[in-house]
């Protein structure tokens, strides 16, 4: 009787669970049994592993073989267990020393010829291995850069099972064919991308940076965009078609500071599991930008799918921007599903196959027309929509959802003079981003001894008790609260925006002008407040 064990990782959402792979050989009729809640792709690993072992020059044991995946109560899916199963079988057959396998973590799919193919989710799998105390992992050579992002882990990249057997037995390591030299795409990279998602989906384009100086006019919307970036406040653009709502939203990620090392690992882990991480880009260091179509389903937005749920758009936009254009055309049920992740910063998806928690701390940007035809309230007019149609159209954005939106901006059509003067006096993304970073630093200094980093994360009770505004600054906000124009949540969000306005202006605490301007951004009612941040050339500031 022979026995050997090694380890691999099962992914549950974007979190990894260490799985012990055990192989047991006993006398009897040659048979291969795989137990431990495997899915269809994992059950098929029996044929892949047998062919890979034989084609790698090793002898397949002609005995009763049982491979167990523990803990047996955790559902296991995917082909990333192939390498661990093959080595456990070879260890039980005494082709490999079982003691050499005990402390190894192995991740990889096997081809029938013995080549080790890359799989999705290597980064979260290695993170789980590090948390469990493992210090050496074996991964496909194509994913070594991704696995090496985890500190304190020794990564061994192999191209084939033959190479791994040679390393573990101190034999000469054979050479294997690398990347095709005739310019054809590498077939081994096919397993890293989910079919239909597209490489880089949910990530900002890297070929050309979108600059804020390209937006003509829209001074109020530009200032609100700056506030949204500085405090991570959700924003809603409302205006006719062609006014620049999408242009503004597309430039919002460029205003956000670069991701911290911790945030980069979180974002990279999500995109690695989702199969949208571009090959050759092991680490995502810029805030992601995800803009699903307005026909997106519930599962595609918050996560789901057959079997165990996969990350949705809210998770792909983690630590970045989620932009929903034509928001009023989206399903009201789908939009209301955003209410829980907007408050909690994560989404919990329950399915028959299991329940999982996925990160979803994003900055939401919505854009919508004023009516179905888009011309209601414009200077030229021409809107023929019935009042009942306009009410139904606007009602798709429910009150509870809009109550979680801090900034509501009316985007008016661009005047001819502003369009002709495009590029003269308009601030660039770099200039605005510099002020955003300075405001974030002021907030980070204020919250140094707390678990929060930006104003949008601070609970309202803490804002009202620990950090006081100027005396009398809340007068108008308190009157709006008494009149029912503001909810308690709305007052807290006004306070957060006011603190962001003060940070951008370099003030120690908000003044009445900051609070009134925050009220104006939320309610749309002009309060005569001073704007924050930079001023466009030639702009007249209300006093």
């Amino acid at each position: 009787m022979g026995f050997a064990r090694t380890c691999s990782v099962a992914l549950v959402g974007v979190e990894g669970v260490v799985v012990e792979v055990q192989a047991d050989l006993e006398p009897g009729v040659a048979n291969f049994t795989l137990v431990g809640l495997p899915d269809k792709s994992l059950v098929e690993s029996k044929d892949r592993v047998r062919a890979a072992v034989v084609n790698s020059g090793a002898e397949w044991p002609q005995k009763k073989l049982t491979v167990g995946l523990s803990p047996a109560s955790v559902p296991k899916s995917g082909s990333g267990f192939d390498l661990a199963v093959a080595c456990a079988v070879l260890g039980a057959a005494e082709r490999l020393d079982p003691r050499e396998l005990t402390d190894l973590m192995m991740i990889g799919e096997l081809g029938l010829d013995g080549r080790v193919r890359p799989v999705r989710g290597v980064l979260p799998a290695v993170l789980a291995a590090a948390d469990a105390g493992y210090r050496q992992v074996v991964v496909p050579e194509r994913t070594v850069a991704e696995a090496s992002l985890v500190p304190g882990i020794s990564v061994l990249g192999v191209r084939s099972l033959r190479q791994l057997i040679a390393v573990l037995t101190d034999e000469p390591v054979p050479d294997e064919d690398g990347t095709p030299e005739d310019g054809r795409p590498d077939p081994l990279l096919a397993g890293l991308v989910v079919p239909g998602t597209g490489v880089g989906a949910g990530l900002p384009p890297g070929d050309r940076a979108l600059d804020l100086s390209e937006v003509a006019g829209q001074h109020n919307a530009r200032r609100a965009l700056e506030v949204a970036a500085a405090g991570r406040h959700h924003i809603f653009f409302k205006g006719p078609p062609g006014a620049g709502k999408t242009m503004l939203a597309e430039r919002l990620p460029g205003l956000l500071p670069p991701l911290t090392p911790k945030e980069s690992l979180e974002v990279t882990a999500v995109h690695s599991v989702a199969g949208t991480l571009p090959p050759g880009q092991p680490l995502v260091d810029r805030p992601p930008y995800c803009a699903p179509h307005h026909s997106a389903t519930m599962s595609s937005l918050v996560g789901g799918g057959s079997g165990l749920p996969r990350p949705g758009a809210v998770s792909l936009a983690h630590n970045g921007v989620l932009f929903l254009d034509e928001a009023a055309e989206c399903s009201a049920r789908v939009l209301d599903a955003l209410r829980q992740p907007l408050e909690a910063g994560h989404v919990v998806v329950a399915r028959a196959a299991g329940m999982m928690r996925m990160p979803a701390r994003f900055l939401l940007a919505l854009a919508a027309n004023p009516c179905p035809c888009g011309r209601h309230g414009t200077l030229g007019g021409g809107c023929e929509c019935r009042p009942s149609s306009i009410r139904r159209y606007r009602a798709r954005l429910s009150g509870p959802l809009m109550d979680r939106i801090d900034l509501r901006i009316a985007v008016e059509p661009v005047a001819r003079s502003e369009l002709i003067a495009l590029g003269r006096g308009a601030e660039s993304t770099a200039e605005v981003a510099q002020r955003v970073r300075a405001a974030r630093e002021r907030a980070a200094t204020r919250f140094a001894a707390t678990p929060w980093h930006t104003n949008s994360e601070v609970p309202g009770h803490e804002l009202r008790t620990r950090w006081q505004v100027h005396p009398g600054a809340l007068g108008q906000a308190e009157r709006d609260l008494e009149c029912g124009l503001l909810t308690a949540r709305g007052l807290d969000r006004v306070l957060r925006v006011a603190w962001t306005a003060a940070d951008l202006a370099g003030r120690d605490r908000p003044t009445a002008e900051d609070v009134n301007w925050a009220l104006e951004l939320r309610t749309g009612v002009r309060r005569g407040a001073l704007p924050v941040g930079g001023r466009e050339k030639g702009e007249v500031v209300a006093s």
Side-chain angles (χ1 to χ4, degrees):
M1 181 180 71
F3 178 82
R5 63 186 178 90
T6 187
C7 289
S8 189
V9 177
L11 291 178
V12 183
V14 295
E15 298 179 355
V17 178
V18 175
V19 174
E20 188 176 66
V21 181
Q22 304 170 341
D24 178 72
L25 281 175
E26 295 182 358
V29 179
N31 188 28
F32 189 173
T33 304
L34 183 65
V35 297
L37 283 184
D39 71 343
K40 180 64 175 176
S41 62
L42 187 50
V43 169
E44 293 175 349
S45 69
K46 296 187 294 184
D47 299 320
R48 290 194 301 269
V49 169
R50 182 187 291 108
V53 169
V54 173
N55 290 327
S56 297
E59 183 180 354
W60 184 260
Q62 298 299 319
K63 295 182 180 180
K64 181 181 179 181
L65 172 62
T66 304
V67 174
L69 307 176
S70 300
S73 59
V74 176
K76 302 163 190 73
S77 61
S79 56
F81 295 90
D82 290 1
L83 193 59
V85 171
C87 289
V89 172
L90 293 175
E94 299 182 352
R95 175 65 175 86
L96 299 175
D97 187 351
R99 293 172 297 181
E100 296 289 336
L101 305 175
T102 303
D103 297 328
L104 281 181
M105 178 69 65
M106 301 186 184
I107 305 164
E109 175 187 335
L110 287 176
L112 299 183
D113 57 354
R115 288 185 300 172
V116 181
R117 306 177 64 93
V119 294
R120 300 189 303 271
V122 167
L123 178 58
V126 177
L127 285 171
D131 293 340
Y134 289 86
R135 291 295 172 262
Q136 187 170 14
V137 297
V138 181
V139 299
E141 189 181 53
R142 297 294 191 275
T143 58
V144 168
E146 182 180 346
S148 300
L149 296 173
V150 182
I153 292 291
S154 174
V155 180
L156 173 61
V158 293
R159 294 182 182 178
S160 68
L161 181 60
R162 285 183 292 270
Q163 287 187 339
L164 181 57
I165 293 175
V167 171
L168 295 178
T169 56
D170 293 328
E171 299 175 357
V173 179
D175 292 332
E176 299 287 351
D177 295 334
T179 305
E181 298 179 356
D182 55 1
R184 292 178 300 172
D186 191 347
L188 294 181
L189 299 179
L192 295 178
V193 180
V194 176
T197 59
V199 176
L203 297 177
D207 52 350
R208 177 179 179 271
L210 302 176
D211 200 277
L212 198 58
S213 61
E214 300 170 351
V215 180
Q218 306 301 352
H219 306 306
N220 291 332
R222 289 167 61 96
R223 290 196 296 269
L225 204 68
E226 181 178 343
V227 172
R232 291 189 73 253
H233 303 289
H234 308 304
I235 189 169
F236 170 56
F237 298 107
K238 177 183 176 181
K245 304 185 295 294
T246 303
M247 288 186 67
L248 288 164
E250 289 176 341
R251 284 149 181 81
L252 181 54
L255 302 181
L256 300 178
L259 299 178
T260 64
K262 179 181 177 181
E263 292 172 341
S264 294
L265 288 178
E266 293 176 353
V267 174
T268 304
V270 172
H271 286 267
S272 177
V273 172
T276 59
L277 192 64
Q281 184 181 342
L283 183 66
V284 180
D285 56 0
R286 294 182 299 161
Y289 173 77
C290 191
H293 193 259
H294 62 259
S295 62
T297 62
M298 178 83 73
S299 297
S300 66
L301 192 64
V302 301
S306 59
L308 290 175
R310 294 181 58 253
V314 297
S315 296
L316 294 178
H318 179 59
N319 288 326
V321 177
L322 175 65
F323 176 50
L324 296 181
D325 201 2
E326 304 294 344
E329 299 291 345
C330 297
S331 167
R333 179 171 170 266
V334 172
L335 287 176
D336 283 339
L338 297 174
R339 287 153 55 179
Q340 184 254 343
L342 283 176
E343 290 291 330
H346 62 267
V347 59
V348 179
V349 182
R351 295 291 186 269
M355 178 183 298
M356 60 190 59
R357 178 180 181 272
M358 291 177 283
R361 185 179 296 106
F362 55 89
L363 196 165
L364 178 63
L366 299 174
N369 296 328
C371 67
C373 74
R375 297 190 297 271
H376 180 74
T378 58
L379 183 63
C383 175
E384 298 179 355
C385 300
R386 297 178 180 178
S388 58
S389 299
I390 297 177
R391 285 195 300 269
R392 285 195 302 270
Y393 187 78
R394 296 178 177 178
R396 296 180 184 177
L397 301 176
S398 66
L401 174 64
M402 294 304 297
D403 197 38
R404 291 166 168 82
I405 306 298
D406 301 341
L407 313 175
R408 308 173 189 177
I409 306 301
V411 182
E412 302 295 338
V414 181
R416 182 181 65 87
S417 59
E418 294 175 327
L419 192 60
I420 294 176
L422 177 61
R424 296 198 296 267
E427 288 185 305
S428 66
T429 294
E431 293 174 309
V432 178
Q434 184 176 0
R435 289 199 301 269
V436 169
R437 284 194 295 269
R440 290 256 183 140
E441 291 173 359
R442 292 179 64 89
T445 302
R446 185 166 62 250
F447 304 137
T450 69
W452 312 300
H453 301 89
T454 59
N455 292 313
S456 63
E457 302 173 7
V458 184
H461 174 74
E462 298 291 338
L463 279 179
R464 292 190 297 270
T465 56
R466 295 181 59 177
W467 294 284
Q468 299 290 329
V469 300
H470 272 284
L474 290 176
Q476 185 61 52
E478 292 172 351
R479 287 191 290 272
D480 287 356
L481 182 64
E482 292 176 357
C483 297
L485 298 178
L486 271 183
T487 62
R489 181 193 288 122
L491 178 60
D492 291 343
R493 294 185 176 275
V494 166
L495 275 175
R496 295 168 183 168
V497 174
W499 271 104
T500 302
D503 289 336
L504 285 167
R507 289 189 280 269
D508 293 334
R509 53 179 176 168
T511 62
E513 289 78 11
D514 295 324
V515 175
N516 290 341
W517 195 73
L519 280 171
E520 178 184 337
L521 288 176
R522 183 171 182 84
T523 63
V525 179
R526 183 70 175 171
R527 311 283 178 167
L530 290 171
V532 300
R535 182 185 305 178
E536 300 292 333
K537 182 180 296 185
E539 180 184 350
V540 179
V541 179
S543 59

